[in-house]
Amino acid sequence: MPVRPDYIRPLDLKHGRIDMSHGAGGRAAAQLIDELFLKAFDNPWLRQGNDQAAFDAPPELAQGGRLVMATDGHVVSPLFFPGGDLGCLCVHGTVNDVAMAGARPLYLAASFIIEEGFPLSELKALVESMAAASREAGVPIVTGDTKVVEQGKGDGVFITTTGVGVVPAGVRIDGAAAKPGDAILVSGTLGEHGVAVLSKRESLTFETEIVSDTAALHTLVAAMLQAVPQGLHVLRDPTRGGLATTLNEIARQSGVGMDLDEAAIPVLPQVEAACELLGLDPLYVANEGKLVAICAPEQADALLAAMRAHPLGAGAARIGTVTEDPHHFVQMRTRFGGRRVVDWLTGEQLPRIC
Amino acid sequence: MPVRPDYIRPLDLKHGRIDMSHGAGGRAAAQLIDELFLKAFDNPWLRQGNDQAAFDAPPELAQGGRLVMATDGHVVSPLFFPGGDLGCLCVHGTVNDVAMAGARPLYLAASFIIEEGFPLSELKALVESMAAASREAGVPIVTGDTKVVEQGKGDGVFITTTGVGVVPAGVRIDGAAAKPGDAILVSGTLGEHGVAVLSKRESLTFETEIVSDTAALHTLVAAMLQAVPQGLHVLRDPTRGGLATTLNEIARQSGVGMDLDEAAIPVLPQVEAACELLGLDPLYVANEGKLVAICAPEQADALLAAMRAHPLGAGAARIGTVTEDPHHFVQMRTRFGGRRVVDWLTGEQLPRIC
């Protein structure tokens, strides 16, 4: 632990506010790091106190594994919402992006852009939520950076997290790997995150509170890979743009079409009702604790069983099939027996959702 | 190359502006990625089109090397300044943070937080500057993210870059490794970056234009390690807070004092004059293309020669000595024969400098 310089007084984490000096790299910045970030995230890499973290290579690499890297800026508004906050969201979001390569997430880096005047009490709450999410996921935050911008040039706090992980040899999960005939699965009900954030933003209350599904999915992915070590072709978390946009992305990457069964797509009744009220389509609403999996048809039952056996996949369902389609359309048999094209999100449905 | 969805019309990179839909994850976001980012950064990892990039382990790991990771949010204002811009700065800043571990930088991730209404022409200029800096450094941008915030909730664009690199076996560069008796070296003149940014911000003109020193220092570091494979103890780039703050950080981490010779610290006369005019001390002004090196005294001449033989170290100088000091003071013999303590930066001298 580095020796602390003599701070004039301890940070006032109850009533204090961020000022420009906290971003200047001098004594105030060092104090913020020591008394808030280092205390909450405490781990040997961060304690190195360097501008970068050094760590040993994970054992998977010696057996032919590959490294992965993912980054995500998080600008959710409001910062605190039912079921979560920016702090845990920015850990889950990046852990999930790493895990969707079939990887074991190893380490996170966090970069904070904070608006002058932001209450230290709220920053502390967010940092502690990040720390808890990081500990729960077993993925330490090993390096970071803090910048401060003038009042009116930011919006509270933005956090960019970047993760590195390792993909074991033999695992090849790729958005370009979906094949006609493959089964399309989701790990649970859709739309809770977007509706939870929007309800808080618009001060809406529903009969049943809708809470964000924000969660780290890497243990679910590990369980899925153990059950189906070969036939798993694609994994992706349907965040911004929702399931519809994620499936269109994959259809484009893989050069395939998709055929969905609306009746099989799980949506909570209260989310369905809220979406109707708000004029939203749950297929386009962001999720933060769900994944889409595409696998060889003969593996679908085993994969579904493995997903359902995991707490974060209890509501998993098989929702459709990959098709041959030169137009790469995602189509859906509706509940009423019709068919429609499920297009990309066009324009913007829910800004600042993650 | 993934098949592009049918965009209604190409992005108007001359007169268009960022709107909220560019951050929504749907068709507009995909178009921005395809027609701007992918085109500028073009590389096989980005072309994978996944939410993360996968790459093979670097060969150094098999010989006992270690991985490093560094992240930096860049919020410099103005976005374009003499000698550089946010685009090249965000590449250099993170390449340097990785290199200061004695590492070979491998890959970068970039996360953009863009304000609604930001001109696409300026975004294009920044992205092309990033791409050029990345190509010149030989460190590709392999994954990224784009978020958009409402007008008045950001400030043009913020870019967080995260880098991974590999430290060869046997190299142990650490801020905690300075030893009493060690020599303190800098790679060149100090203060240009901060003065260049400030002069642009304040619309100041000087007789001689002062340009930022922004540069990627990893090839200089490699040359230094080749010349002095063992005795190099600490490397750090004196960015925010300048040389003074960086040396205080190292003194604290290593539990040592430092003794500097003011007459030996290289500062360009025009920077000295500008600092005098602006009431700044060049020792506290940010640099973006300079490094501090601390090495065993018997290696100092060889290290200095290696630095001077590299274009980015041509102005290198030996500026002081590490001392035993339980107070971890950085002290300086002034040009007039006196002595003073060179303290941490207190308060804030130059906001939004990087």
Side-chain angles (χ1 to χ4, degrees):
Chain A
M1 191 87 174
V3 180
R4 291 157 33 147
D6 299 323
Y7 304 128
I8 295 157
R9 60 183 85 83
L11 269 187
D12 181 356
L13 291 169
K14 270 197 184 144
H15 306 292
R17 289 177 180 274
I18 286 289
D19 63 47
M20 296 303 293
S21 74
H22 291 116
R27 197 187 293 272
Q31 184 174 18
L32 184 69
I33 292 168
D34 282 358
E35 297 183 12
L36 182 57
F37 295 112
L38 204 56
K39 218 163 155 179
F41 299 150
D42 188 40
N43 62 62
W45 301 275
L46 210 56
R47 259 180 275 134
Q48 290 169 356
N50 293 318
D51 288 344
Q52 72 292 115
F55 39 85
D56 292 331
E60 290 93 329
L61 291 182
Q63 278 98 51
R66 286 171 307 146
L67 289 163
V68 293
M69 185 180 194
T71 195
D72 236 334
H74 295 84
V75 301
V76 68
S77 169
L79 297 170
F80 300 87
F81 49 80
D85 54 49
L86 173 67
C88 63
L89 183 69
C90 76
V91 170
H92 296 155
T94 294
V95 164
N96 291 348
D97 275 351
V98 169
M100 294 306 133
R104 180 168 72 87
L106 297 168
Y107 302 103
L108 290 176
S111 156
F112 295 77
I113 298 176
I114 314 176
E115 188 185 7
E116 181 188 17
F118 189 67
L120 284 172
S121 57
E122 289 188 35
L123 185 60
K124 179 169 185 271
L126 293 174
V127 164
E128 287 176 351
S129 173
M130 280 181 82
S134 147
R135 269 194 306 272
E136 200 187 331
V139 186
I141 296 159
V142 295
T143 189
D145 182 55
T146 307
K147 293 290 186 327
V148 178
V149 295
E150 304 88 340
Q151 208 145 24
K153 302 291 186 185
D155 192 18
V157 56
F158 304 137
I159 308 176
T160 293
T161 41
T162 307
V164 294
V166 60
V167 188
V171 173
R172 285 271 168 183
I173 310 284
D174 190 328
K179 288 173 187 55
D182 278 0
I184 306 169
L185 287 73
V186 292
S187 64
T189 51
L190 298 175
E192 287 113 276
H193 175 72
V195 172
V197 172
L198 193 68
S199 68
K200 173 79 184 192
R201 195 186 295 168
E202 309 289 343
S203 301
L204 301 173
T205 46
F206 303 109
E207 258 180 66
T208 319
E209 196 191 30
I210 297 165
V211 299
S212 169
D213 61 342
T214 185
L217 296 170
H218 58 311
T219 60
L220 173 60
V221 169
M224 290 164 68
L225 278 168
Q226 196 168 18
V228 176
Q230 285 313 321
L232 189 51
H233 297 155
V234 184
L235 287 172
R236 192 160 295 172
D237 51 340
T239 55
R240 276 185 298 177
L243 178 72
T245 301
T246 298
L247 292 181
N248 272 283
E249 282 173 16
I250 298 168
R252 174 171 82 141
Q253 265 184 280
S254 291
V256 297
M258 295 191 187
D259 203 2
L260 306 180
D261 176 7
E262 187 175 23
I265 299 175
V267 180
L268 291 175
Q270 59 267 40
V271 169
E272 189 117 25
C275 282
E276 208 151 304
L277 188 77
L278 296 164
L280 299 175
D281 181 338
L283 295 189
Y284 292 88
V285 176
N287 311 279
E288 289 291 341
K290 299 289 153 44
L291 60 79
V292 172
I294 296 180
C295 72
E298 65 275 14
Q299 303 282 3
D301 289 340
L303 188 61
L304 197 59
M307 289 165 81
R308 287 185 174 159
H310 189 284
L312 292 172
R318 182 170 176 171
I319 61 165
T321 306
V322 177
T323 61
E324 217 162 318
D325 179 353
H327 302 293
H328 317 138
F329 283 147
V330 177
Q331 302 198 55
M332 185 163 77
R333 271 164 290 134
T334 67
R335 258 177 247 165
F336 311 105
R339 291 184 72 82
R340 69 172 176 98
V341 170
V342 178
D343 199 4
W344 291 72
L345 174 65
T346 304
E348 171 232 71
Q349 198 185 38
L350 287 175
R352 311 278 303 273
I353 209 67
C354 62
Chain B
M1 192 86 174
V3 180
R4 292 157 32 148
D6 299 323
Y7 303 127
I8 294 157
R9 61 183 85 84
L11 269 186
D12 181 357
L13 290 168
K14 271 199 183 142
H15 306 291
R17 289 176 180 274
I18 285 287
D19 64 48
M20 297 302 293
S21 74
H22 291 116
R27 196 187 294 271
Q31 184 174 18
L32 184 69
I33 293 167
D34 282 358
E35 296 182 11
L36 181 57
F37 295 111
L38 203 56
K39 218 162 154 179
F41 299 150
D42 188 41
N43 62 61
W45 301 275
L46 210 55
R47 258 180 274 133
Q48 292 168 355
N50 293 318
D51 288 344
Q52 72 292 117
F55 39 85
D56 292 331
E60 290 94 330
L61 291 182
Q63 278 99 50
R66 286 171 308 145
L67 289 164
V68 293
M69 185 180 194
T71 196
D72 236 335
H74 295 85
V75 300
V76 68
S77 170
L79 297 170
F80 300 87
F81 48 81
D85 54 50
L86 172 67
C88 63
L89 182 69
C90 76
V91 170
H92 297 155
T94 295
V95 163
N96 291 349
D97 276 350
V98 169
M100 295 304 133
R104 180 168 71 87
L106 298 168
Y107 301 104
L108 290 176
S111 155
F112 295 77
I113 298 176
I114 314 176
E115 188 186 7
E116 180 188 16
F118 189 67
L120 284 172
S121 57
E122 289 189 33
L123 186 60
K124 180 170 184 269
L126 293 173
V127 165
E128 286 175 353
S129 174
M130 281 180 83
S134 148
R135 268 193 307 270
E136 200 187 333
V139 186
I141 296 159
V142 295
T143 190
D145 182 53
T146 307
K147 293 290 185 329
V148 178
V149 295
E150 304 87 341
Q151 208 145 25
K153 302 291 186 185
D155 192 18
V157 56
F158 304 138
I159 308 177
T160 294
T161 41
T162 307
V164 294
V166 61
V167 188
V171 174
R172 286 271 168 186
I173 310 286
D174 190 328
K179 288 174 188 54
D182 279 359
I184 306 170
L185 288 72
V186 292
S187 63
T189 52
L190 298 175
E192 287 113 275
H193 175 73
V195 171
V197 172
L198 193 67
S199 68
K200 172 79 185 195
R201 195 187 295 166
E202 308 290 342
S203 302
L204 301 173
T205 47
F206 303 110
E207 258 179 66
T208 318
E209 197 192 31
I210 297 165
V211 299
S212 169
D213 60 342
T214 185
L217 296 170
H218 58 312
T219 60
L220 173 61
V221 169
M224 291 165 68
L225 278 168
Q226 197 169 15
V228 177
Q230 286 313 320
L232 189 52
H233 298 154
V234 184
L235 288 172
R236 193 162 294 173
D237 50 340
T239 56
R240 276 184 297 178
L243 178 72
T245 301
T246 297
L247 292 180
N248 272 283
E249 281 173 16
I250 298 169
R252 175 170 81 141
Q253 265 184 281
S254 290
V256 296
M258 295 189 187
D259 203 1
L260 306 180
D261 176 6
E262 187 176 22
I265 299 175
V267 180
L268 291 175
Q270 59 267 41
V271 169
E272 190 117 25
C275 281
E276 207 151 300
L277 187 78
L278 296 164
L280 298 174
D281 181 339
L283 295 189
Y284 292 89
V285 176
N287 310 278
E288 289 291 342
K290 300 288 152 46
L291 60 80
V292 173
I294 296 180
C295 72
E298 65 275 15
Q299 303 283 2
D301 289 339
L303 188 61
L304 197 58
M307 289 165 81
R308 287 184 173 160
H310 189 284
L312 291 172
R318 182 170 177 171
I319 61 166
T321 305
V322 176
T323 61
E324 217 162 318
D325 179 352
H327 302 294
H328 317 139
F329 283 148
V330 177
Q331 303 197 53
M332 186 163 76
R333 273 165 289 134
T334 68
R335 256 177 248 165
F336 310 104
R339 290 185 72 81
R340 68 173 177 99
V341 170
V342 179
D343 199 3
W344 290 72
L345 174 66
T346 304
E348 170 232 70
Q349 199 186 36
L350 288 175
R352 310 278 304 275
I353 208 68
C354 61

